[in-house]
Amino acid sequence: MKNSIITSRLYLYYPILQFFLILFIYLLCLPRESTLVNAQNSSEATTITTVDVGLILDLDTWVGKMGQSCVSMALSDFYSSNPTYKTRLVLHTRDSNKDIIDAASSAVDLLQNVQVKALLGLQKSFQAEFVANIGTKSQVPVVSFSATSPELSSVKTPFFVRTALNDSCQVKAIGDIIKACGWREVVIMYENSDYGKDSLPYIVDAIQEANARVPYRSVISSVATDEQISGELYKLMSMQTRVFVVHVSCTLGSRLFMKIKEVGMMRKGYAWIITDGLTELLSSVNSSVIESMQGVLGVKPYVPRSKELDNFTTRWRRKFLLDHQDANGSDQLSIFGLWAYDSIRALAMAAEEVYPYNRSSGFKMLKTGEKSTDLEKIGVSQMGPEFLKAILGTSFTGLSGEFKLIDGQLQSSAFQIVNVIGSEARVIGFWTPTNGISQTLESTDTKKNSTSINSLRAIIWPGESTEIPKGWEIPTSEKKLRIGVPVKQGFTEFLKVEINANSEPKVSGFVIDVFKEVMDSLPYSVPYEFVPYGKSGQNSSDYNDMVYEVYLQIKDAVVGDTTIVANRSLYVDFPLPFSESGVAMVVPIKDDAKKNAWIFLKPLTRDLWLTIGAFFILTGLVIWVLEHRINNDFRGQPSEQIGTIFYFSFSTLVFAQKEKVMSNLSRFVMIIWLLVVLIITSSYTASLTSLLTVQQLQPTVTDIKDLIKNGDYVGYQSGSFVAGLMESLNFNPQRLKAYNNAEEYRDALDKGSKNGGVSAIVDEIPYIKLFMAKYCTSKYTIIGPTYKTAGFGFAFPKGSPLVPDISRAILSVTEGDKMIAIEKKWFGNQVDCLEQRRGTNLNSDRLSLDSFLGLFFIAGFTSISAFLIFVIIFLRENKNILASQLPVRQKLASLCKEFDKKKQRNIKKPVTPALAVELCSATGNNDSAHSDEQQQTNFTAIICPSPDVISQLDQGLSSAEPSSPDREHPSAVEIT
């Protein structure tokens, strides 16, 4: 029974057991790998989140093709090394066809129809700027690895992210190269596009910070024809500047340098610097373009070498050549590809941070009307702000180096400086913000911000030259510099212009020899020719007009006795002056034969006389205050005391004071004051002796104000700026007379204003000295300088590159023996005569207050210090008055009364027989403690003799002759 029940139950469960058995056998027979893959696929299908990203590039350009391949490889490499990531970027590629409208329409399509979470690419700056505004409106990050315009920033468009370097990062490196080479003028050639124009202000600022100027900016259209490019280059050849900074795209740069080579601007003497946009793509141009760029310098961002970079470069080159059979050998990876690779890594890391398991990652539609545009229908990305924040916070070490975004863009660390030689760009050095220019990146130079060209490796300049181009040369349209020289009648020692039979000018003189010596000292040759300004036999009418011709480009320079003044420097540049500066007067002198009755006052100036008198009174007052209470000589009636003050102080002038001082403070003051008096009297005596014995030659005029006041006539050199100077000093123009030479100066001075001449000649110091040396006589003297000038200088156009080199050459000439030889040649014995006359004093200098300020300071300090010490002691002795409750007025009255009282002093003096008789007679006994004389002499012990002895002493003293007290007298007693 029991077995039948079990058997019946087995028949009921048999179909079920059969089903599980067949299933188990089936599973055992399945391949194990297939099972795992299906399980993994099933897991991924439920956990991985896709993040759509739009990629917009110009796919028919080199950067576009390279960027697309690098992005593709970056996705594969990143997720292969990070298989556990829960997000995957999915690219949706669009071709912008180098057009801003196509780029914008592609962006709108990707945002509206695909709802991408980010836009990548935007190769050109103008494309990126337009799309960045769309991204900001829809709150979708726009990431560009090739838009380098400085005008693009996260300030204007918050959702724009630049994973490349700003073009302005390189300008400091370019400026340091210019400064290291010593160039003073640089021409900028830039493309007429947003890429070229946006960076122009930054390049100009960097050049100006390098102490150079930009005389011309050459703009070239991106669609310019070869004829237009050649025309612009010929225009540049006609200028002096030979240093050029080129900031153009690779396409235009290739055409431009082919033409530069063709017109002959790639020869010796030229210098070319290209920016990183063209330097980075040199590997993509053909060999003919590289051949035309031999000697060009360039800058590009530094990329540190690594195994990862080498491995990726090899793999990328293999893949790129397979994908692009028409690459024409352009298989060199540039930094734009590395930035594209790192950009994908940054996006993938940010997506993993924001989008896993996110349920609200779509677009939130805005309320729009029936006539809304496509932009309004896009909506706003709900996770866009979070995605942007994650992108900006991403940092890692990528293929291009340290990847870190600050203010929405990649930061620069270092730049390479390259020199195009042969078939490649050879690295010759580096530039960093801290170390400046250096041969190696890890420079051991302790000097920061180096700007020395020696810090780079050897440079091969255009024309295969190893010498640094000077940066300018004479334009091809002009064979020689046209140097204007003024025609002069007088002072031909400085400049003389003669016209020979062939109407050719012959120029000579001191100025010409200096100029020739300076030009010969330059490290290069400058051809020039002299062009006279003015007619032969006549003075140049106005030097200002001659200088203005340089400003008008009629003359290339002016060489002559041209004074450097402020109004002329507004139109031309002057090198350093080569002569002495200043304007002085020549006036006749006369012998002061009439010794007037007041000549004894002349040795000292009025200020010194007044100061001496003031100190006499001060010293007398201080001595009176110190001695009044203890010295009978300084007491008495007020009138007597005033007389004592003046008599005592002034009597020290001849050391005839009879009053003796008793206070130590008074003695200290008197010692210092007598020393001052001794020095002053000795100096006065010496000066007065000179006045009375030496011939005194006095100038007839000592100041221009005297000439104006007296209405005198004044002479000046014809054509000089001195006429304008005198008028600016309110001198009557009708009282000015122009003369041409030194002989006319002499005749005018000899005649004087009253006889048709002048009372003074006002001219520049070089002419004045030549006049005085030529007429080596004691009839005239120099007064001044009365007005400061910079001296003689050569005039050149504003910003001329010759000016700094000529300034250095002038220093070399004037500091050596060459200048002495030139002066000796043209001035000869006249200079010797002037040097001899310098040793003769025409007028004895009067003693001034400045010579004795130190003595008066010491005397004044001593007197005031003694007075203050006395006041402090006096107030301490009478502190009971100060501490009393009396009103202030009564306190002052009490102090004055106390000061007027005579103070008793503790003294020791001998008691003569007469004094002993007087004391003993007055007291009659040994107790004399209450007598006035005892109080005055502090009498303590006197043994008085008997009255008979006193009587005899009295009679003896009466009959004896007066004599001084004798401490050895047997009757003398010392009183203490």
Side-chain angles (χ1 to χ4, degrees):
M1 186 66 182
K2 184 177 180 180
N3 292 333
S4 62
I5 294 173
I6 294 173
T7 302
S8 62
R9 288 182 178 177
L10 289 174
Y11 279 111
L12 290 174
Y13 291 107
Y14 181 76
I16 298 174
L17 293 174
Q18 187 179 16
F19 172 77
F20 281 106
L21 180 61
I22 294 172
L23 179 61
F24 176 75
I25 295 172
Y26 176 75
L27 292 175
L28 290 176
C29 294
L30 285 175
R32 184 171 298 179
E33 292 182 2
S34 177
T35 303
L36 292 174
V37 170
N38 290 337
Q40 183 177 355
N41 291 338
S42 176
S43 175
E44 288 185 359
T46 57
T47 59
I48 291 179
T49 301
T50 60
V51 179
D52 297 312
V53 175
L55 178 63
I56 305 175
L57 293 171
D58 299 333
L59 296 179
D60 61 341
T61 63
W62 163 251
V63 175
K65 295 175 181 179
M66 179 177 55
Q68 185 182 23
S69 62
C70 289
V71 167
S72 176
M73 293 182 66
L75 279 177
S76 176
D77 292 347
F78 183 80
Y79 289 117
S80 296
S81 59
N82 297 278
T84 60
Y85 269 36
K86 298 179 177 60
T87 56
R88 294 291 186 274
L89 297 182
V90 178
L91 293 178
H92 303 269
T93 306
R94 298 289 187 274
D95 188 0
S96 55
N97 298 312
K98 305 179 186 178
D99 185 72
I100 187 173
I101 302 300
D102 287 350
S105 61
S106 298
V108 172
D109 174 61
L110 291 170
L111 291 171
Q112 186 174 5
N113 299 324
V114 184
Q115 292 192 344
V116 294
K117 306 306 184 295
L119 292 172
L120 180 65
L122 287 310
Q123 192 169 322
K124 302 295 182 181
S125 296
F126 62 87
Q127 297 171 343
E129 183 178 12
F130 193 90
V131 175
N133 287 287
I134 298 176
T136 301
K137 184 176 179 64
S138 59
Q139 296 188 3
V140 173
V142 177
V143 182
S144 176
F145 53 81
S146 59
T148 57
S149 171
E151 295 299 316
L152 280 170
S153 67
S154 58
V155 176
K156 296 180 180 179
T157 50
F159 279 80
F160 174 73
V161 180
R162 192 202 322 267
T163 56
L165 293 184
N166 189 330
D167 278 338
S168 63
C169 296
Q170 64 182 319
V171 298
K172 188 64 171 64
I174 295 174
D176 282 353
I177 294 174
I178 294 171
K179 188 175 183 179
C181 295
W183 294 321
R184 299 302 178 188
E185 284 191 353
V186 179
V187 170
I188 301 177
M189 300 182 69
Y190 65 98
E191 184 176 333
N192 189 18
S193 64
D194 291 339
Y195 170 74
K197 292 185 292 185
D198 291 349
S199 301
L200 181 63
Y202 301 92
I203 299 175
V204 172
D205 290 345
I207 293 174
Q208 292 177 346
E209 288 179 4
N211 298 324
R213 58 186 294 266
V214 182
Y216 182 72
R217 305 175 187 182
S218 176
V219 55
I220 301 177
S221 174
S222 57
V223 294
T225 63
D226 290 346
E227 290 75 15
Q228 290 173 333
I229 294 176
S230 298
E232 181 66 18
L233 293 177
Y234 282 120
K235 182 178 180 181
L236 295 177
M237 291 179 66
S238 66
M239 301 178 182
Q240 290 185 349
T241 309
R242 292 295 180 261
V243 181
F244 303 90
V245 173
V246 181
H247 183 62
V248 297
S249 62
C250 182
T251 304
L252 179 59
S254 300
R255 298 173 53 216
L256 175 63
F257 276 97
M258 292 289 287
K259 284 296 178 183
I260 290 174
K261 177 71 173 179
E262 182 180 325
V263 301
M265 295 180 69
M266 200 55 72
R267 65 175 187 268
K268 182 179 179 180
Y270 283 85
W272 299 88
I273 303 175
I274 57 177
T275 57
D276 64 346
L278 182 55
T279 307
E280 277 293 341
L281 300 178
L282 288 177
S283 59
S284 65
V285 300
N286 56 47
S287 59
S288 60
V289 176
I290 296 295
E291 181 64 25
S292 67
M293 299 177 67
Q294 295 298 300
V296 172
L297 294 183
V299 295
K300 65 177 183 178
Y302 167 70
V303 178
R305 299 300 300 269
S306 63
K307 293 182 179 180
E308 293 78 6
L309 177 60
D310 294 339
N311 180 41
F312 173 76
T313 302
T314 302
R315 292 188 297 111
W316 173 85
R317 184 180 293 112
R318 186 186 309 114
K319 181 180 185 305
F320 186 80
L321 292 177
L322 289 175
D323 294 343
H324 302 279
Q325 302 278 335
D326 57 345
N328 296 326
S330 300
D331 57 350
Q332 297 298 319
L333 183 64
S334 76
I335 197 170
F336 294 108
L338 303 182
W339 285 336
Y341 187 95
D342 292 343
S343 299
I344 286 296
R345 182 175 178 180
L347 286 174
M349 294 173 65
E352 182 67 16
E353 181 180 345
V354 175
Y355 282 104
Y357 309 111
N358 198 293
R359 301 302 180 184
S360 58
S361 60
F363 282 68
K364 181 180 180 180
M365 303 306 296
L366 301 176
K367 295 182 180 180
T368 58
E370 297 179 357
K371 298 182 179 181
S372 60
T373 62
D374 289 341
L375 292 177
E376 294 173 339
K377 294 178 181 179
I378 294 175
V380 177
S381 175
Q382 298 185 58
M383 297 301 297
E386 294 294 329
F387 195 21
L388 174 66
K389 183 178 179 181
I391 294 172
L392 296 177
T394 304
S395 62
F396 55 88
T397 301
L399 294 181
S400 63
E402 188 68 23
F403 185 94
K404 186 176 182 180
L405 301 175
I406 299 177
D407 296 331
Q409 62 183 1
L410 199 65
Q411 298 302 301
S412 64
S413 57
F415 282 88
Q416 287 180 326
I417 303 175
V418 300
N419 185 200
V420 179
I421 303 174
S423 60
E424 62 179 359
R426 180 172 64 94
V427 178
I428 59 173
F430 298 87
W431 179 90
T432 59
T434 55
N435 294 331
I437 297 174
S438 59
Q439 284 191 14
T440 60
L441 195 60
E442 295 80 14
S443 177
T444 58
D445 189 3
T446 57
K447 296 180 179 180
K448 300 297 183 181
N449 295 317
S450 173
T451 55
S452 173
I453 198 63
N454 296 327
S455 300
L456 299 175
R457 296 184 179 92
I459 303 175
I460 304 299
W461 301 96
E464 299 183 356
S465 173
T466 58
E467 296 181 1
I468 302 175
K470 65 177 182 288
W472 70 275
E473 65 183 28
I474 303 301
T476 56
S477 60
E478 298 182 15
K479 300 300 181 181
K480 297 181 179 179
L481 288 178
R482 291 172 54 84
I483 307 295
V485 291
V487 176
K488 296 175 64 68
Q489 283 185 325
F491 297 100
T492 55
E493 293 87 352
F494 284 95
L495 184 64
K496 184 177 182 181
V497 179
E498 298 175 321
I499 306 298
N500 59 20
N502 297 327
S503 299
E504 295 177 353
K506 180 182 178 182
V507 184
S508 60
F510 169 77
V511 174
I512 300 301
D513 281 3
V514 171
F515 177 75
K516 289 180 178 179
E517 195 66 45
V518 167
M519 299 305 287
D520 291 341
S521 300
L522 295 177
Y524 44 83
S525 176
V526 180
Y528 57 87
E529 60 180 356
F530 293 113
V531 180
Y533 179 80
K535 298 180 180 179
S536 179
Q538 298 180 4
N539 270 9
S540 301
S541 58
D542 193 343
Y543 278 36
N544 290 333
D545 294 339
M546 179 179 61
V547 171
Y548 196 65
E549 285 194 355
V550 177
Y551 175 76
L552 298 176
Q553 299 183 359
I554 299 174
K555 300 286 192 306
D556 296 317
V558 166
V559 171
D561 48 350
T562 309
T563 306
I564 303 174
V565 291
N567 64 324
R568 293 173 183 171
S569 65
L570 298 175
Y571 303 98
V572 296
D573 280 346
F574 291 97
L576 293 176
F578 59 88
S579 73
E580 194 172 354
S581 62
V583 175
M585 286 195 308
V586 173
V587 298
I589 56 176
K590 59 182 179 178
D591 181 17
D592 190 13
K594 299 179 180 180
K595 310 296 183 181
N596 56 55
W598 302 100
I599 193 173
F600 67 90
L601 295 176
K602 288 186 177 182
L604 307 183
T605 61
R606 182 180 60 181
D607 294 340
L608 184 55
W609 277 118
L610 294 176
T611 303
I612 293 173
F615 267 82
F616 273 127
I617 297 174
L618 173 65
T619 304
L621 285 173
V622 171
I623 295 299
W624 176 81
V625 171
L626 299 176
E627 295 291 325
H628 177 69
R629 302 183 68 203
I630 60 175
N631 195 333
N632 289 331
D633 292 337
F634 291 87
R635 300 182 63 83
Q637 297 298 325
S639 58
E640 296 177 357
Q641 297 182 52
I642 294 175
T644 300
I645 291 172
F646 284 95
Y647 170 76
F648 177 82
S649 60
F650 282 96
S651 63
T652 59
L653 183 62
V654 291
F655 306 98
Q657 68 279 5
K658 68 176 184 177
E659 294 83 4
K660 295 183 179 181
V661 294
M662 303 177 65
S663 170
N664 288 333
L665 291 176
S666 302
R667 293 166 182 166
F668 181 63
V669 172
M670 285 301 299
I671 290 173
I672 300 299
W673 175 241
L674 290 176
L675 175 64
V676 174
V677 171
L678 175 62
I679 295 174
I680 293 177
T681 53
S682 300
S683 302
Y684 172 84
T685 302
S687 181
L688 181 61
T689 302
S690 176
L691 287 173
L692 294 174
T693 57
V694 180
Q695 182 186 21
Q696 301 300 311
L697 302 177
Q698 301 290 344
T700 56
V701 180
T702 59
D703 195 353
I704 292 180
K705 295 180 180 179
D706 296 337
L707 298 171
I708 299 175
K709 181 180 179 180
N710 299 332
D712 293 333
Y713 286 91
V714 171
Y716 68 96
Q717 189 176 172
S718 178
S720 174
F721 76 101
V722 173
L725 170 63
M726 297 298 292
E727 292 179 12
S728 67
L729 298 175
N730 298 322
F731 200 89
N732 187 356
Q734 297 180 356
R735 295 284 176 177
L736 294 174
K737 294 184 177 182
Y739 299 101
N740 295 322
N741 50 54
E743 290 76 11
E744 294 181 3
Y745 278 4
R746 180 197 58 186
D747 295 339
L749 288 172
D750 291 343
K751 292 179 181 178
S753 293
K754 297 181 179 180
N755 299 318
V758 295
S759 297
I761 295 292
V762 180
D763 208 342
E764 296 173 79
I765 289 179
Y767 300 115
I768 295 296
K769 286 188 174 181
L770 181 60
F771 170 79
M772 293 295 294
K774 190 172 185 179
Y775 298 101
C776 193
T777 177
S778 59
K779 294 174 59 178
Y780 316 108
T781 187
I782 301 176
I783 303 297
T786 60
Y787 184 78
K788 294 293 184 181
T789 62
F792 293 160
F794 308 129
F796 288 88
K798 276 286 187 181
S800 173
L802 271 174
V803 171
D805 293 336
I806 289 182
S807 293
R808 285 187 286 270
I810 289 174
L811 288 176
S812 176
V813 172
T814 55
E815 291 178 356
D817 297 333
K818 297 178 182 179
M819 180 62 77
I820 298 176
I822 295 173
E823 290 179 347
K824 196 72 174 180
K825 173 184 176 181
W826 290 103
F827 305 137
N829 296 329
Q830 297 174 357
V831 176
D832 298 335
C833 178
L834 182 59
E835 293 296 332
Q836 294 174 7
R837 293 194 62 237
R838 285 178 178 173
T840 303
N841 291 326
L842 296 179
N843 188 17
S844 298
D845 291 333
R846 304 174 68 187
L847 299 176
S848 64
L849 177 62
D850 295 337
S851 303
F852 301 96
L853 281 178
L855 286 174
F856 287 125
F857 173 78
I858 295 173
F861 177 78
T862 304
S863 299
I864 294 174
S865 299
F867 175 78
L868 293 177
I869 293 173
F870 170 81
V871 171
I872 293 172
I873 295 174
F874 176 75
L875 293 178
R876 289 185 62 183
E877 292 176 351
N878 298 276
K879 58 184 178 180
N880 57 334
I881 299 177
L882 297 175
S884 65
Q885 301 298 325
L886 296 174
V888 176
R889 182 176 298 178
Q890 293 184 13
K891 288 183 180 181
L892 294 176
S894 300
L895 290 173
C896 291
K897 291 180 181 179
E898 189 65 28
F899 173 74
D900 193 52
K901 289 181 180 180
K902 185 174 182 181
K903 182 180 179 182
Q904 307 302 326
R905 303 180 71 245
N906 295 328
I907 60 173
K908 290 183 179 182
K909 63 181 181 179
V911 179
T912 61
L915 181 58
V917 170
E918 182 181 355
L919 293 176
C920 292
S921 300
T923 58
N925 53 48
N926 294 339
D927 188 6
S928 56
H930 299 287
S931 66
D932 293 338
E933 190 65 28
Q934 282 179 315
Q935 292 178 2
Q936 294 181 9
T937 60
N938 195 16
F939 180 68
T940 58
I942 296 179
I943 300 176
C944 294
S946 62
D948 296 337
V949 175
I950 293 174
S951 176
Q952 293 177 4
L953 290 174
D954 190 14
Q955 294 176 2
L957 292 173
S958 300
S959 61
E961 294 181 358
S963 62
S964 60
D966 186 1
R967 293 184 59 87
E968 297 180 356
H969 195 282
S971 301
V973 183
E974 185 177 278
I975 301 176
T976 58

